[in-house]
Amino acid sequence: MAPRFEPPLDVAKIVPLGQQDWSAGLNLLLSDLPETARQQRIASILAAASQPPQFFAGLLGVLRAERLAGVIWVELLAGRCAAVWSPRLAAGEPAETAQMLLATAGDLCRAAGCRIAQALPATSTEAAIFIAGDFQRLAELCYLFWASNSACPDKSLDVLADCVQFHAYDDARAGEFAQVVQQTYSGTLDCPAFSGLRPIDEVLESYRAGGAIDPQHWLLALEGQQIVGCLILADYPAHDQFELVYMGLLPAARGRSLGRSLVAHAQRMTQRARRARITLSVDSQNHPAAATYAERGFTECDRRPIYFRLFEPPGDVPSDVTSPH
């Protein structure tokens, strides 16, 4: 267990920031960004906040002599999951304050019933803070995008996508859909250390929380009459993009280039919706998937290590691979 850091006598107890302090907290949290980019990001976060008091319930600050000395944000997500932002400190603040903030963030996750917390530190210094706070390195994520006005490589989208048929999700097939998603996790190369950490209902709940919900974007893939995999997309109209949330093939369907057809269908849907781009993340060690995305014209725009922490034993539950935002 990470050591507990008690606040110095002149530091007030860590508390959730009130609405009047949200902007100041976000300014400090994003202080590594240039001023213009920082203000744009803050405006975007504030505009996207749904049910703001709950949305910012995990925005925690610590005060020293009435001054905001540090901040951390725990985004409580669907599916008993949380995203923990790297703690940020005011100039001259001792490093122990970051550990104090992270310990409090862990307490909040546990109290909220989270099973897993995820973090995407940007530097080795930030990573060290999370390691000291009982987080484990999971993988390195590559962030990719494809612009919908790009020339399509290889075969046309329609020819390649039509190699597979797609059935949209409906409530009558909810159980079948969940079973297919679960089966695609078998032998996955995408963040395999996540295998077995969450039951499938929590996984699907977290998938549903991303973007505009549309059953037409939750698809079973069939080759003839045989189900071969699934494709889940999320629509973000405000950002003019789709996200490829999850794509998976059943073990028996792998090795026949069907993944290209699923990706091509996602690209076709992006164009038909007149979105500017489609984005995704993939484990850097998932070489077959990375090769498929490269073949379909995706470009890498960033890569980050992802760390995670468990707050209860995973138990005997189905395998899970998630995509963190």
Side-chain angles (χ1 to χ4, degrees):
M1 293 291 293
R4 282 285 180 174
F5 290 96
E6 296 298 329
L9 294 178
D10 58 341
V11 175
K13 185 170 70 171
I14 296 174
V15 295
L17 295 181
Q19 184 171 356
Q20 70 278 7
D21 296 319
W22 289 346
S23 291
L26 292 173
N27 258 297
L28 181 54
L29 191 73
L30 299 169
S31 57
D32 59 321
L33 297 178
E35 175 67 20
T36 300
R38 181 166 70 252
Q39 296 308 319
Q40 290 175 343
R41 185 74 185 280
I42 290 172
S44 177
I45 291 172
L46 292 172
S50 59
Q51 300 179 317
Q54 292 80 12
F55 187 79
F56 290 114
L59 185 59
L60 309 175
V62 58
L63 302 178
R64 185 190 292 275
E66 302 303 318
R67 180 178 66 96
L68 186 63
V71 65
I72 195 170
W73 190 13
V74 181
E75 283 192 85
L76 299 174
L77 308 175
R80 297 183 65 186
C81 188
V84 181
W85 293 50
S86 295
R88 287 282 186 271
L89 305 179
E93 189 65 22
E96 287 79 9
T97 303
Q99 286 299 330
M100 185 174 67
L101 282 163
L102 189 56
T104 304
D107 292 341
L108 188 154
C109 289
R110 190 180 295 105
C114 293
R115 191 187 299 272
I116 298 174
Q118 302 175 3
L120 295 165
T123 66
S124 58
T125 300
E126 292 179 8
I129 292 171
F130 283 104
I131 291 171
D134 291 332
F135 279 71
Q136 304 174 54
R137 193 179 193 277
L138 173 65
E140 181 182 57
L141 293 180
C142 296
Y143 292 86
L144 312 177
F145 78 96
W146 175 78
S148 60
N149 61 0
S150 302
C152 295
D154 192 27
K155 303 176 183 177
S156 74
L157 287 181
D158 287 341
V159 170
L160 189 56
D162 287 343
C163 292
V164 176
Q165 294 76 52
F166 295 90
H167 288 181
Y169 176 93
D170 62 65
D171 291 340
R173 307 185 75 165
E176 180 183 33
F177 194 94
Q179 185 178 39
V180 170
V181 174
Q182 181 180 324
Q183 290 173 348
T184 65
Y185 295 147
S186 177
T188 181
L189 297 178
D190 223 47
C191 303
F194 255 11
S195 185
L197 298 187
R198 291 194 295 170
I200 193 65
D201 60 330
E202 291 179 11
V203 178
L204 295 180
E205 183 183 354
S206 66
Y207 288 167
R208 289 187 189 96
I213 300 173
D214 185 341
Q216 298 301 312
H217 300 156
W218 285 50
L219 304 167
L220 289 176
L222 294 87
E223 186 180 39
Q225 299 300 311
Q226 190 71 34
I227 294 175
V228 293
C230 60
L231 176 66
I232 299 176
L233 303 173
D235 187 12
Y236 292 89
H239 299 287
D240 198 16
Q241 68 184 37
F242 270 140
E243 179 189 359
L244 199 164
V245 176
Y246 182 72
M247 179 188 78
L249 292 171
L250 299 177
R254 294 169 187 164
R256 293 190 281 121
S257 299
L258 294 176
R260 292 190 304 164
S261 296
L262 270 64
V263 176
H265 187 65
Q267 292 172 305
R268 180 167 64 179
M269 291 181 69
T270 302
Q271 287 188 331
R272 288 179 174 176
R274 299 184 182 277
R275 297 289 180 251
R277 70 192 68 82
I278 184 169
T279 65
L280 61 88
S281 60
V282 63
D283 188 330
S284 65
Q285 296 304 302
N286 188 350
H287 300 301
T292 296
Y293 295 132
E295 181 182 335
R296 296 304 311 149
F298 280 76
T299 300
E300 181 177 324
C301 56
D302 195 11
R303 60 173 60 199
R304 287 276 189 95
I306 178 171
Y307 288 74
F308 76 104
R309 179 182 174 186
L310 299 180
F311 291 97
E312 62 179 59
D316 184 17
V317 297
S319 297
D320 161 34
V321 176
T322 65
S323 297
H325 337 306

